[in-house]
Amino acid sequence: MAKLVIISQVPGGGSFELGAHWATIGRADGNAFQIVEASVSGRHCEVRLHGQELVVRDLNSTNGTFVAGKKISEATLKPDAVLRVGHVELRFEFSMPAAAPRVSAVTAAMDLAAELKASSPAAPAKIFNPPAAGDGPRRFQVLFVDDSLAFLETFGALCAELGNHTWEIHTATTADRALAVLQQRPLDLVVLDIGMPTLDGIQLLGIINRRYADVKIAVLTGLVTEANRAACLAKGAELFLEKPVSAESIKVAFNMLNDLLLWSQREGFSGALRQVGLTDVIQMECLGSHSLLLEVRNRQTSGQIFIEGGKIIHATMGQLTGETAFQQLLALPGGEFQFLPFRPPPECTVRGSWEVLLMEAARVRDENTAIITKPAAAKPVTAEPNTEFIARGENIVSVNDADANRN
């Protein structure tokens, strides 16, 4: 087995088992190999085993990455060679005990890929099966922009698999490369990170939005702050998502990105409420302990859901407020939503946990659906004379003829 072993005097020491996928090394949580030492940058470098050699790429670190005493941007190491990150030396060797990898977006994607393969070796599991168009399903052109090859390789490949290979994936590790790809071919979606060298993701987002108005843009980043969210949404991002670090959150992120691609394909809908559902959106925001205002609307109604620190504190829909408004918003069959910066609501009308609220909303939605789909012969619906019941998605609206005539 191939490993990187710390040979400097670093508290805790440690080693890391290498594989054929890119893995990041750095001081911050979320790296595949975390080295807590002051001279090591948050995301210092990334490594990948290639045969019996180790490929190393510096990630614009503060104190540099060195091989044989020379500072490198990219290099290849032979067995027993020494790699230095900041002031910490590591030896590339074999047959050392493995260290448990840290949970990161990369390792989570690798775990999910293995899970999908194991679930059906002959026919890997699919999250989405797109409708046929013409001679076959449309192939969406998607560009992922991230300075980590590890993330681009694993998450991009996984999205292609989850999308039943209707996503054609393009990648770029720098802003100039991303703009070159945009010039070379029409794209449907650009998914970019904020933490980029030279030209950061927020600046790149603004450039793409001005030059390529028809391209949809989503931000997928580990730098989740309210300031970054507000800046990205103001510059034209249609989704702002935190990099997923579990199999379940990867599926949610994929579904949201996939639904963003399909907005223009749906008659009468311009938002992500069918495939993903508000439940997925709210779950992701609450799990991330985010604060935001979620505005929801369709042709018939509109409403708002206030989320503060991962807790649902208020909801409105027309004259309704509180849990009743929240349940009705989640019962909408489709429409559109947008993220707005958080502002305190006039009152706090919701106090339960978001998990319980989502479960109760699902129960109410199921009851409404059962009423609509129940055969008339089983239990006739009694109604006032001159009243007709109209089913709209999962809601029943009672319309009185006399009132309609007056209008």
Side-chain angles (χ1 to χ4, degrees), residues 147-354:
D147 65 341
S148 170
L149 284 176
F151 178 77
L152 292 177
E153 181 182 85
T154 55
F155 192 76
L158 188 56
C159 284
E161 179 70 19
L162 294 176
N164 199 11
H165 301 288
T166 60
W167 286 30
E168 185 169 336
I169 305 296
H170 309 276
T171 61
T173 56
T174 61
D176 59 335
R177 178 56 189 157
L179 293 173
V181 174
L182 281 157
Q183 291 177 345
Q184 293 168 3
R185 57 176 54 80
L187 295 174
D188 297 295
L189 173 65
V190 175
V191 183
L192 54 85
D193 188 14
I194 289 178
M196 301 280 292
T198 309
L199 185 70
D200 67 37
I202 296 178
Q203 293 173 297
L204 177 60
L205 192 161
I207 293 173
I208 296 174
N209 191 44
R210 288 194 301 271
R211 295 184 185 179
Y212 305 95
D214 294 335
V215 176
K216 297 168 183 175
I217 308 173
V219 173
L220 190 63
T221 182
L223 302 175
V224 177
T225 66
E226 292 308 311
N228 284 340
R229 178 191 295 274
C232 290
L233 295 178
K235 287 184 176 291
E238 297 183 71
L239 284 176
F240 184 93
L241 305 173
E242 186 172 10
K243 278 187 176 179
V245 293
S246 69
E248 193 60 35
S249 60
I250 287 175
K251 294 176 184 177
V252 173
F254 166 78
N255 280 336
M256 295 184 74
L257 293 172
N258 191 68
D259 203 73
L260 178 58
L261 277 172
L262 296 174
W263 278 2
S264 61
Q265 305 301 308
R266 294 186 182 141
E267 183 178 352
F269 283 83
S270 60
L273 300 187
R274 276 190 178 177
Q275 177 74 16
V276 176
L278 277 177
T279 299
D280 296 305
V281 177
I282 293 169
Q283 180 181 358
M284 175 168 282
E285 298 303 321
C286 290
L287 284 171
S289 299
H290 300 152
S291 297
L292 70 149
L293 173 59
L294 188 61
E295 188 170 79
V296 184
R297 66 176 64 249
N298 66 10
R299 293 179 180 178
Q300 288 77 36
T301 189
S302 65
Q304 295 179 326
I305 298 173
F306 292 76
I307 301 175
E308 183 177 21
K311 296 181 179 180
I312 302 166
I313 61 172
H314 183 56
T316 65
M317 177 177 166
Q319 299 299 315
L320 302 176
T321 61
E323 292 188 19
T324 303
F326 180 77
Q327 292 167 0
Q328 292 303 312
L329 285 172
L330 265 67
L332 292 177
E336 63 181 13
F337 69 83
Q338 68 179 81
F339 298 108
L340 299 176
F342 177 78
R343 56 179 171 80
E347 57 180 333
C348 293
T349 58
V350 181
R351 290 179 174 81
S353 69
W354 64 266

Side-chain angles (χ1 to χ4, degrees), residues 98-149:
R102 301 275 178 170
V103 176
S104 67
V106 175
T107 54
M110 292 169 61
D111 290 343
L112 179 56
E115 176 187 323
L116 292 176
K117 184 176 180 180
S119 66
S120 180
K126 305 295 190 298
I127 299 297
F128 167 68
N129 190 15
D135 295 332
R138 176 183 173 184
R139 289 183 63 81
F140 294 104
Q141 305 297 313
V142 181
L143 170 64
F144 283 94
V145 186
D146 198 294
D147 65 341
S148 170
L149 284 176

Side-chain angles (χ1 to χ4, degrees), residues 25 27 37-45 58-66 71 84-87:
I25 299 174
R27 187 179 67 253
E37 202 275 340
S39 67
V40 179
S41 295
R43 292 175 69 254
H44 198 104
C45 65
D58 183 74
L59 294 177
N60 200 30
S61 63
T62 301
N63 294 312
T65 302
F66 298 83
K71 188 175 182 179
R84 178 158 63 89
V85 294
H87 302 319

